[in-house]
Amino acid sequence: MDHDESFRLVMALNEWQYQMKHIPGSLYFSTIQGALAELRKEDEIVVYCSDRTCIASAALGKVLENQGYTQVLHFAGGLAEWEQAGYPLEGRDAKA
């Protein structure tokens, strides 16, 4: 993000968690079908969830890869690492 590179950032948690706190500019899809309809196979896609112990982003990444998406990256540290680094967050629980 610091380098203004174009990619689609996707949060792999549920809607409630997205509403509470997410990385600015990230997308949320309530269904896999919604993600497949919105994301293009040539997009660079970065998936994330809460932290290194969360498997939701790895699972979503695998689904996308199985559907033919070739540029899927996994931000393993997720929200926890992002917040610890002091980067901004959006949502109801985001610190001002």
Side-chain angles (χ1 to χ4, degrees), residues 34-62:
L36 297 176
E38 177 72 22
L39 301 170
R40 297 182 317 240
K41 292 192 177 180
E42 64 272 9
D43 287 340
E44 183 171 345
I45 302 166
V46 178
V47 294
Y48 75 96
C49 54
S50 59
D51 57 34
R52 292 189 179 277
T53 64
C54 179
I55 62 169
S57 56
L60 176 58
K62 188 55 112 177

Side-chain angles (χ1 to χ4, degrees), residues 16 19-22 83 89-96:
W16 177 83
Q19 295 297 328
M20 296 309 287
K21 190 184 320 184
H22 61 271
E83 191 168 19
L89 292 166
E90 292 179 337
R92 291 190 294 244
D93 277 357
K95 296 175 183 159

